[in-house]
């Protein structure tokens, strides 16, 4: 049977081209995704790092031990903020040999980058810094510039730290290092800027250092790092790891979508191939082949095509890995220098999945092949054979999946509206909607085409003409052909539905979520007159806040970010939540927080204001167990509850120690919301505020400018992630659309010859094919738009319950462009094969075997 399958593929290769192309493209996309994902697992060697020259490194343990509710294994959970090392431990490690304390803090030159840091000069040697000119800082008013120029020596420079602006004289410069931008101070001044010690470099025996650490708290207090482990203490290493981890989720989703699409597409392509060979398979039954043998033949054909297509797809995936890596770098999704090595296991996994996809996709076709009766070989012509059972199955499966998706949306909007504010939850909710639309595409294509052609038909009736004459002979023929050729219409419409619905649901839902978050910010700032925001700095210093508060008559709410950790999933995991600190009186006077229970006036030391989506849904007055940003356990009383759930800040506190003030010094404020007194001169107050923050890395903006910046930021970040998810799947679906049209149009020689025999000109026949194709594409776009409306409407309903009135964003432009692209691909894919089939045919082709191979 295998030899027969090989001969069948060799002799009937044209029937398998579509399946080969579809599967090869699917394997190529999957291989590329897997190779890129494998490249993001683990941080590649970054070369010299901050502590490369330290033989042994002691750092604070960033994990806290969390015991799940009901017992179970203790789970080490990382805390958001790094605490400093205890003084006793520092002394114990110093007794083992020479040590160097690392004091790192925020220090940015007036023209320096946002990520610039200040460090003690004694720790410069730990990263391999060497003076290229000048001398080390000898007094507190001297600094050494990392990556500075010799001509800067002796000049006065201005820099900003968390407590405000300072000046110093440049005493020396070092060579530039890729892992950081540093300014070096005397050890004494660095210790004043940041008293906490973030890392301790030890030059004594590693075993002695470990014993000293174990004797002073051990695990849970500090960790000892040697060898390659030392990179874990470098912020640059952590940043690279975080960025690589950030692209794994959309890449994994893209691979999953591509794999699922491949199964669907390959299954449809094989089904189309089997339908085109129905008489041939019936002849095999006529000469004695059993149903089991036909099924085995089809499966072996799929195996042959699968092996060849998987090999070709792996080769294409290997070629596409490098461009995919460059695209990620160009869009700033991964660090510079990111490369995608071609690994054998990645290609092997992709090839195996491709082969499994081919066999899975052909199972239904193999069953259908076994049901072919010998009598069909005697049929005069191929005809559409769509049984009632097949139609009933399409209706049942499509309605079941779509109905389940709609029910999930309705339950989410009613019972768990906060889930709609999560991108991950939104993606999980939209996939059943897309799948249901795709399953129903074949059976809904006819009604959609009838709806599209209703206007010409109505005009025809008003003019007293027949419905077929509503748009001329070409229009009538194309309409009737699209309505009767079920298989061809379904093959054209389904990829369009997949493209438009998937893109529309994904882009629309995420855009609506982003806009809801912007609406939250807008609502909060609705009473504010002006806002102070960072200008080229990571935050606002204490001096900025003090000077703004000193402006007469201005009420200022200084918002400083922090984190609170709480147990989720019925106490099974400990996760950080974004929180902020602010003076409650100023917050109530300047901002508009949607308090639904309790009062902001009750917010004070030992209390917290929570979003209603906080785990466990605590009531006002209840006490909740949390951990501060550095892992310190704390019990807080709930002072008030907020009535929304899409906000970026989910908890408000006033505790001074809730602000990160360990390693790196005091935290920087992220925003200062301002309200002017009634009747104040806005221009005069704005001028005074601009003067107050001038030269401090801050600028004055209106609330409208803050909203616009938030909109631009969320749109940019979301679009880059969407491109990764959408790009591969849509590209694959477009290829499938062209492939299906080439297969079906090339098989229409008999039908096209009949049109010519009936008197249609060659131009009329080609226009008929073009109009029919456009009708199918438009019907697919219409059905995709319907799925988008359902998905986006569900997200919008839930988000409205969270944040109040918020705009619903349907991506009409994106959907329209994609529909136009589908039409641009579909037209030549349908018309060109038809033109080739009509070459030299004058209508008599039907009498000379027009139905056979060309």
């Amino acid at each position: 049977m295998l030899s027969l399958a090989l001969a069948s593929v060799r002799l009937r290769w044209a029937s398998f081209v579509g399946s080969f192309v579809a599967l090869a493209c699917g394997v190529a996309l999957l291989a590329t995704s897997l190779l890129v994902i494998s490249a993001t697992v683990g941080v590649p060697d970054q070369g010299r790092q901050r502590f490369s020259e330290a033989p042994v490194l002691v750092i604070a343990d960033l994990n806290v031990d969390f015991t799940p509710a009901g017992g179970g294994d203790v789970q080490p959970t990382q805390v958001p903020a790094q605490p400093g090392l205890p003084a006793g431990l520092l002394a114990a490690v110093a007794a083992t040999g020479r040590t160097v304390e690392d004091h790192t803090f925020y220090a940015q030159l007036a023209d320096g980058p946002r990520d610039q840091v200040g460090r003690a000069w004694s720790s410069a040697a730990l990263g391999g810094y060497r003076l290229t000119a000048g001398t080390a800082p000898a007094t507190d008013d001297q600094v050494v510039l990392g990556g500075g120029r010799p001509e800067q020596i002796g000049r006065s420079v201005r820099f900003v730290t968390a407590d405000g602006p300072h000046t110093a004289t440049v005493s020396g410069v070092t060579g530039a290092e890729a892992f950081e931008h540093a300014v070096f101070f005397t050890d004494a001044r660095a210790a004043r800027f940041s008293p906490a010690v973030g890392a301790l470099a030890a030059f004594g025996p590693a075993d002695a250092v470990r014993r000293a650490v174990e004797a002073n708290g051990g695990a849970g207090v500090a960790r000892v790092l040697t060898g390659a482990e030392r990179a874990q203490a470098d912020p640059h290493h952590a940043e690279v790891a975080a960025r690589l981890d950030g692209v794994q989720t959309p890449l994994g989703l893209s691979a999953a979508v591509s794999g699922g699409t491949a199964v669907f597409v390959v299954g449809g392509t094989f089904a189309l191939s089997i339908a085109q060979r129905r008489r041939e398979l019936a002849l095999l039954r006529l000469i004695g082949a059993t149903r089991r043998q036909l099924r085995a033949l089809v499966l072996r054909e799929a195996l042959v095509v699968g092996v060849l297509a998987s090999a070709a797809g792996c080769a294409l995936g290997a070629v596409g890995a490098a461009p995919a890596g460059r695209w990620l770098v160009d869009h700033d999704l991964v660090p510079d220098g990111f490369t995608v090595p071609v690994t054998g296991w990645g290609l092997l996994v992709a090839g195996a999945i491709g082969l499994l996809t081919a066999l899975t996709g052909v199972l239904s076709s193999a069953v259908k092949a076994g049901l072919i009766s010998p009598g069909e070989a005697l049929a005069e012509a191929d005809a559409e054979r769509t049984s009632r059972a097949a139609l009933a199955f399409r209706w049942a499966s499509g309605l079941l999946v779509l109905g389940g998706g709609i029910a999930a949306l309705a339950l989410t909007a009613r019972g768990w509206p906060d889930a709609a504010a999560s991108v991950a939850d939104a993606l999980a909710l939209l996939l059943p909607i897309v799948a249901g639309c795709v399953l129903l595409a074949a059976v809904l294509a006819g009604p959609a085409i009838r709806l599209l052609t209703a206007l010409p038909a109505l005009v025809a009736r008003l003019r007293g003409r027949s419905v077929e004459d509503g748009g001329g002979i070409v229009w009538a023929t194309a309409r009737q052909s699209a309505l009767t050729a079920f298989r061809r219409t379904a093959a054209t419409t389904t990829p369009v539905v997949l493209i438009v619905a998937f893109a529309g649901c994904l882009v629309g839902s995420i855009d609506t979520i982003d806009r809801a978050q912007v609406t939250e910010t807008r609502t909060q700032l609705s009473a504010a007159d002006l806002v102070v925001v960072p200008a080229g700095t990571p935050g606002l210093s204490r001096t900025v806040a003090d000077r703004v508060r000193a402006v007469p008559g201005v009420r200022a709410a200084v918002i400083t970010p922090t984190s609170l950790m709480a147990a989720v999933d019925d106490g099974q995991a400990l996760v950080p939540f974004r929180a902020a600190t602010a003076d409650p009186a100023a917050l109530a006077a300047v901002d508009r927080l949607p308090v639904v229970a309790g009062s902001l006036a009750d917010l004070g030391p030992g209390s917290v204001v929570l979003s209603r989506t906080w785990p466990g849904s605590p009531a006002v007055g209840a006490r909740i167990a949390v951990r501060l940003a550095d892992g310190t356990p704390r019990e807080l009383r709930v002072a008030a509850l907020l009535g929304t759930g899409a906000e970026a800040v989910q908890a408000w506190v006033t505790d001074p120690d809730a602000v990160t003030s360990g390693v790196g010094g005091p935290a920087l404020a992220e925003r200062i919301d301002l309200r002017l007194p009634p009747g104040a001169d806005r221009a005069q107050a704005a001028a005074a505020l601009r003067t107050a923050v001038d030269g401090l890395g801050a600028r004055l903006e209106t609330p409208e400018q803050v909203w616009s910046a938030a909109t631009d930021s969320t749109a940019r970040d979301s679009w880059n992630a969407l491109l990764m998810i959408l790009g591969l799947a849509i590209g694959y679906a477009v290829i499938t659309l062209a492939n299906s049209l080439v297969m079906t149009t090339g098989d229409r020689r008999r039908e096209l010859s009949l049109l010519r025999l009936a008197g249609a000109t060659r131009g009329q026949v080609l226009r008929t094919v073009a109009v029919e194709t456009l009708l199918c594409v438009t019907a697919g776009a219409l059905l995709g738009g319907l799925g988008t409306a359902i998905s986006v409407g569900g997200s919008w309903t839930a988000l409205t319950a969270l944040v109040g009135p918020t705009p619903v964003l349907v991506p009409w432009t994106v959907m329209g462009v994609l529909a136009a692209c589908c039409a641009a691909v579909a037209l030549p894919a349908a018309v060109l094969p038809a033109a080739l089939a009509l070459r030299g045919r004058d209508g008599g082709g039907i009498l000379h075997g027009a139905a056979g191979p060309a």
Side-chain angles (χ1 to χ4, degrees):
M1 189 61 71
L2 181 59
S3 60
L4 181 59
L6 288 170
S8 176
V9 173
R10 184 175 67 255
L11 296 175
R12 295 276 304 186
W13 62 269
S15 298
F16 296 100
V17 167
S19 302
F20 176 87
V21 172
L23 186 57
C25 291
V27 172
L29 296 176
L30 190 60
T32 300
S33 298
L34 290 177
L35 290 175
V36 176
I37 290 174
S38 67
T40 63
V41 177
V43 180
D45 184 13
Q46 300 295 302
R48 195 153 60 186
Q49 297 289 317
R50 178 177 287 185
F51 303 109
S52 298
E53 305 300 321
V56 182
L57 200 62
V58 181
I59 64 172
D61 193 342
L62 300 183
N63 294 318
V64 295
D65 291 336
F66 172 73
T67 303
D73 296 335
V74 175
Q75 300 176 2
T77 304
Q78 187 169 352
V79 297
Q82 181 182 0
L85 293 170
L89 187 145
L90 295 175
V93 175
T96 66
R98 184 172 70 94
T99 60
V100 176
E101 297 181 355
D102 180 67
H103 297 270
T104 301
F105 50 94
Y106 167 62
Q108 183 180 8
L109 297 179
D111 57 350
R114 285 172 56 93
D115 59 350
Q116 197 161 35
V117 295
R119 300 184 63 197
W121 174 247
S122 62
S123 62
L126 302 179
Y129 284 97
R130 299 291 184 271
L131 283 170
T132 57
T135 61
T139 60
D140 285 352
D141 62 349
Q142 293 182 336
V143 295
V144 170
L145 303 183
R149 303 183 306 276
E151 58 267 24
Q152 291 178 293
I153 296 176
R155 294 181 182 176
S156 178
V157 293
R158 194 167 186 267
F159 63 94
V160 177
T161 64
D163 61 356
H166 305 271
T167 58
T169 302
V170 178
S171 66
V173 295
T174 72
E177 296 292 348
F179 55 84
E180 70 180 0
H181 301 93
V183 180
F184 295 99
F185 299 79
T186 61
D187 291 2
R189 195 175 194 194
R192 288 196 296 272
F193 280 131
S194 178
V197 178
L200 181 68
F203 291 83
D207 292 340
V209 173
R210 288 192 176 91
R211 288 193 296 270
V213 170
E214 290 173 359
N216 287 268
V221 175
R223 299 170 58 204
V224 178
L225 306 177
T226 58
E229 293 178 336
R230 294 171 300 171
Q232 299 175 19
D234 189 273
H236 180 65
H237 183 278
E239 178 191 355
V240 172
R243 295 181 68 182
L244 293 179
D245 289 343
V247 301
Q248 287 182 7
T249 298
L251 281 173
L253 182 57
S254 178
V257 170
S258 296
T261 305
V263 173
F264 167 75
V265 168
V266 170
T269 309
F270 269 111
L272 185 59
S273 175
I274 295 299
Q276 292 175 331
R277 299 167 53 206
R278 196 172 184 89
R279 292 184 65 190
E280 173 189 328
L281 297 175
L283 281 172
L284 291 176
R285 291 279 289 125
L286 189 63
I287 62 176
T290 64
R291 298 182 185 274
R292 182 176 180 181
Q293 288 175 323
L294 279 191
R295 288 194 293 268
L297 173 63
V298 172
L299 288 173
R300 284 169 173 78
E301 289 174 347
L303 180 63
V304 172
V305 174
V307 169
L308 297 176
S310 295
C314 287
L316 291 173
V319 173
R326 287 194 297 270
W327 185 90
L328 292 173
V329 172
D330 293 341
H331 286 76
D332 199 30
L333 296 170
V334 294
D336 292 336
F338 175 77
T339 58
V340 183
V342 178
T343 58
W345 74 264
L347 298 179
L348 183 62
V349 170
I353 293 177
L355 191 57
L356 182 63
T357 298
L359 296 176
T360 303
V362 82
L363 283 178
S364 176
S365 299
V367 173
K368 292 179 180 179
L371 299 178
I372 295 176
S373 64
E376 294 185 29
L378 305 178
E380 179 65 21
D382 290 331
E384 292 278 3
R385 297 175 175 85
T386 305
S387 65
R388 292 183 177 179
L391 291 175
F393 175 77
R394 288 177 181 268
W395 276 110
S397 59
L399 289 176
L400 181 64
V401 174
L402 183 61
I406 295 174
L409 277 176
L411 289 174
T412 299
R414 185 180 181 88
W416 301 279
D418 54 289
S422 166
V423 173
D425 292 338
L427 294 180
L429 289 170
L430 70 85
L431 289 178
I433 302 296
V434 176
C437 291
V438 170
L439 289 171
L440 290 173
V443 292
L444 290 179
I449 290 173
R450 288 187 177 90
L451 179 63
L452 290 171
T453 56
L455 182 59
L458 178 61
V459 173
R461 287 193 182 95
L462 294 176
R463 293 181 177 180
R465 302 165 64 186
S466 64
V467 174
E468 288 74 11
D469 291 337
I473 186 62
V474 169
W475 175 267
T477 305
R479 175 182 182 275
Q480 196 61 31
S481 178
L483 291 174
T484 55
F486 178 85
R487 189 171 65 223
R488 185 169 64 243
T489 299
T492 306
T493 304
T494 303
V496 180
V497 174
L498 175 63
I499 293 170
V500 175
F502 186 48
C505 291
L506 192 60
V507 177
S509 295
I510 293 181
D511 280 353
T512 302
I513 291 173
D514 291 343
R515 186 56 61 88
Q517 293 172 346
V518 173
T519 299
E520 188 74 23
T521 303
R522 182 173 182 172
T523 301
Q524 182 180 340
L525 292 175
S526 60
D529 296 302
L530 295 167
V531 182
V532 178
V533 297
T537 60
L540 303 173
S541 68
R542 184 182 303 163
T543 300
V544 173
D546 293 341
R547 290 190 180 181
V548 167
R549 289 193 185 103
V551 175
V554 174
R555 294 299 302 270
V558 181
I559 299 173
T560 305
T562 184
S563 296
L564 290 182
M565 303 181 71
V568 299
D569 298 334
D570 296 327
Q572 297 304 304
L574 185 68
V575 299
F577 290 88
R578 181 174 169 83
T581 67
D583 176 71
L587 191 64
V590 178
D591 287 345
R592 290 292 178 264
L593 296 181
V595 178
V596 294
S599 172
L600 287 179
D602 296 332
L603 178 61
S607 63
V608 63
V609 172
L610 297 177
S611 163
R612 68 175 179 180
T613 59
W614 192 264
S617 302
V620 173
R623 304 194 70 83
I624 61 170
V626 299
R627 288 182 182 266
L628 303 183
D630 62 357
T632 303
R634 184 66 60 84
E635 189 175 86
L636 301 176
R637 180 182 57 84
V638 179
L641 291 175
L642 305 180
T644 60
E647 66 275 1
V649 177
Q650 296 178 297
W652 294 85
V653 292
T654 62
D655 289 24
D657 55 357
V659 182
T660 304
S661 56
V663 175
L668 298 171
E670 67 177 2
R671 199 178 74 215
I672 303 177
D673 301 338
L674 307 173
R675 190 171 186 183
L676 305 179
D681 187 326
R682 185 185 180 94
Q684 183 177 357
L689 288 166
R690 289 191 181 94
T691 301
V693 303
D694 183 46
L696 299 179
R699 67 172 177 266
L700 195 66
E701 290 188 347
T702 64
E704 290 80 5
Q705 290 173 314
V706 175
W707 307 332
S708 300
T711 303
D712 295 340
S713 175
T714 54
R716 182 180 61 254
D717 294 341
S718 298
W719 187 246
N720 284 334
L722 288 173
L723 283 177
M724 283 191 288
I725 301 172
L726 284 173
L728 296 180
I730 290 178
Y732 187 27
V734 168
I735 293 172
T736 303
L737 173 63
N739 179 39
S740 299
L741 280 168
V742 170
M743 289 181 65
T744 56
T745 307
D747 201 49
R748 296 177 66 183
R749 297 183 182 91
R750 188 182 188 90
E751 175 189 339
L752 300 177
S753 295
L754 278 171
L755 289 175
R756 293 283 283 120
L757 190 64
T761 66
R762 189 171 183 272
Q764 286 176 320
V765 173
L766 294 180
R767 287 197 297 273
T768 299
V769 172
V771 172
E772 179 186 346
T773 302
L774 289 177
L775 280 175
C776 294
V777 169
T778 307
L782 182 64
L783 296 175
L786 177 62
T788 299
I790 295 173
S791 177
V792 176
S795 298
W796 173 77
T797 302
L799 289 168
T800 299
L802 281 176
V803 303
T806 186
V808 57
L809 297 181
V810 179
W812 299 115
T813 301
V814 172
M815 295 165 60
V817 169
L818 289 175
C821 291
C822 290
V825 171
L827 278 176
V831 174
L832 290 180
L836 293 175
L838 290 173
R839 282 191 308 175
R841 299 188 182 276
D842 57 0
I846 187 175
L847 304 176
H848 298 85

